[in-house]
Amino acid sequence: EIRQFASTLMERMNISTEEKKEEDDYIVVFSRSNNRLIFNEPELILALAQEFQMRTVTVSLDEQSFPNIIQIISGASMLVSMHGAQLVTSMFLPRGAVVIELFPFGVKPDQYTPYKTLASLPGMDLQYVAWRNTIEENSIAYPDRPWDQGGIAHLDKEEQDRIIASKEVPRHLCCRNPEWLYRIYQDTIVDIPTFMEVVREGLKAKLNLKKTKAASTVHPGRVRDPKCQTSVQATSEAKLTVSWQIPWNLKYLKV
């Protein structure tokens, strides 16, 4: 259903989906210019290009139109980005592509999984890898920014000190937790050796696209209001009646 939606959206935006040749493989790095920056973006791009022997391009929501970005991503072999809403564009990646999500210091990837979930859905056929900055010195925080951009100056001194000293954001409710905002809005220097190690490890298990069926993988839900009634018709005859309402999603499925 998500792939159908992505395809329909591309049609409405007049984006063509031409079959690309294997030698046209390329990597897309999502570049941010206001916050959650990758401080050593050129080094990261060079490392990816050398490792995978592919050209590497950047896209930016600040500098390019949305249809232009989707056009580029729809032909990419890999999408690399800091955690953020721009990663929803991974739904436009072709089958077999790789999503690499980067997390700042103090943020546990397994607590923030919308894009991992998207990549892992049946029929998406995407590989997902998460990298997390574990070197505090490679992190730049901004305590004096507004609260909704990770600032903590509005909190009392004791709470500010606790947040700064904490090495990991504890579980919390979305989305106004000051400790979460403080950490997620950090800029990051990506440690290239650990990044490449995580990527190599994550890509060891190759996707087998031949196993996947293009058919719908949505199944009917449970039947509703099942009822079972018995009644005696005569001394030697009884009746059993079973009734139910169809599953709510049956009318949307080709069954």
Side-chain angles (χ1 to χ4, degrees):
E1 281 69 21
I2 289 173
R3 284 223 173 265
Q4 285 172 4
F5 168 74
S7 172
T8 303
L9 204 55
M10 287 174 71
E11 280 173 31
R12 296 290 175 91
M13 292 191 285
N14 295 317
I15 299 171
S16 61
T17 52
E18 296 162 13
E19 282 292 313
K20 69 184 182 86
K21 299 167 188 165
E22 203 165 305
E23 58 269 23
D24 289 343
D25 284 351
Y26 58 91
I27 298 167
V28 173
V29 175
F30 230 117
S31 187
R32 296 176 67 107
S33 54
N34 297 320
N35 50 51
R36 301 186 209 181
L37 309 183
I38 300 170
F39 253 39
N40 57 335
E41 197 175 274
E43 288 89 338
L44 179 66
I45 288 167
L46 184 62
L48 285 163
Q50 287 175 337
E51 176 73 20
F52 297 102
Q53 295 296 298
M54 290 186 211
R55 66 189 176 99
T56 304
V57 299
T58 58
V59 293
S60 167
L61 285 165
D62 300 302
E63 295 166 16
Q64 288 157 280
S65 70
F66 189 65
N68 181 233
I69 289 172
I70 298 311
Q71 173 86 66
I72 295 166
I73 287 175
S74 68
S77 299
M78 183 181 291
L79 177 63
V80 182
S81 172
M82 291 301 293
H83 173 80
Q86 72 280 355
L87 263 170
V88 78
T89 55
S90 59
M91 75 164 74
F92 298 99
L93 283 166
R95 294 177 194 278
V98 180
V99 181
I100 301 177
E101 184 173 13
L102 313 179
F103 288 86
F105 179 81
V107 179
K108 282 182 77 175
D110 60 4
Q111 287 182 193
Y112 310 94
T113 59
Y115 309 113
K116 179 182 181 180
T117 303
L118 175 62
S120 311
L121 287 172
M124 287 306 291
D125 304 322
L126 298 173
Q127 269 185 289
Y128 174 88
V129 179
W131 173 85
R132 173 190 182 184
N133 177 26
T134 55
I135 305 167
E136 194 166 8
E137 296 73 42
N138 285 357
S139 200
I140 301 100
Y142 298 92
D144 297 323
R145 279 184 178 168
W147 72 268
D148 58 349
Q149 292 169 38
I152 53 173
H154 62 291
L155 303 172
D156 62 56
K157 181 76 169 63
E158 191 180 336
E159 181 66 358
Q160 287 184 47
D161 292 343
R162 185 196 67 75
I163 289 173
I164 292 167
S166 170
K167 306 296 181 196
E168 198 166 273
V169 179
R171 284 191 178 273
H172 60 91
L173 293 173
C174 186
C175 294
R176 290 168 171 252
N177 180 285
E179 190 167 349
W180 147 252
L181 292 168
Y182 173 74
R183 289 298 180 192
I184 200 61
Y185 276 103
Q186 294 171 118
D187 295 337
T188 302
I189 298 165
V190 175
D191 181 62
I192 304 297
T194 61
F195 171 78
M196 293 315 309
E197 192 181 322
V198 166
V199 172
R200 285 185 201 115
E201 191 60 34
L203 298 185
K204 271 184 183 173
K206 287 282 181 193
L207 270 180
N208 188 350
L209 295 180
K210 287 176 185 171
K211 283 184 184 173
T212 9
K213 293 179 183 174
S216 171
T217 51
V218 178
H219 302 288
R222 292 184 175 190
V223 298
R224 298 168 297 163
D225 303 325
K227 289 181 184 143
C228 182
Q229 290 177 311
T230 57
S231 57
V232 176
Q233 304 296 311
T235 49
S236 60
E237 188 186 346
K239 191 174 180 184
L240 174 68
T241 307
V242 180
S243 65
W244 64 89
Q245 298 280 323
I246 65 165
W248 69 271
N249 62 344
L250 200 63
K251 61 185 176 184
Y252 303 107
L253 302 178
K254 292 175 182 171
V255 292

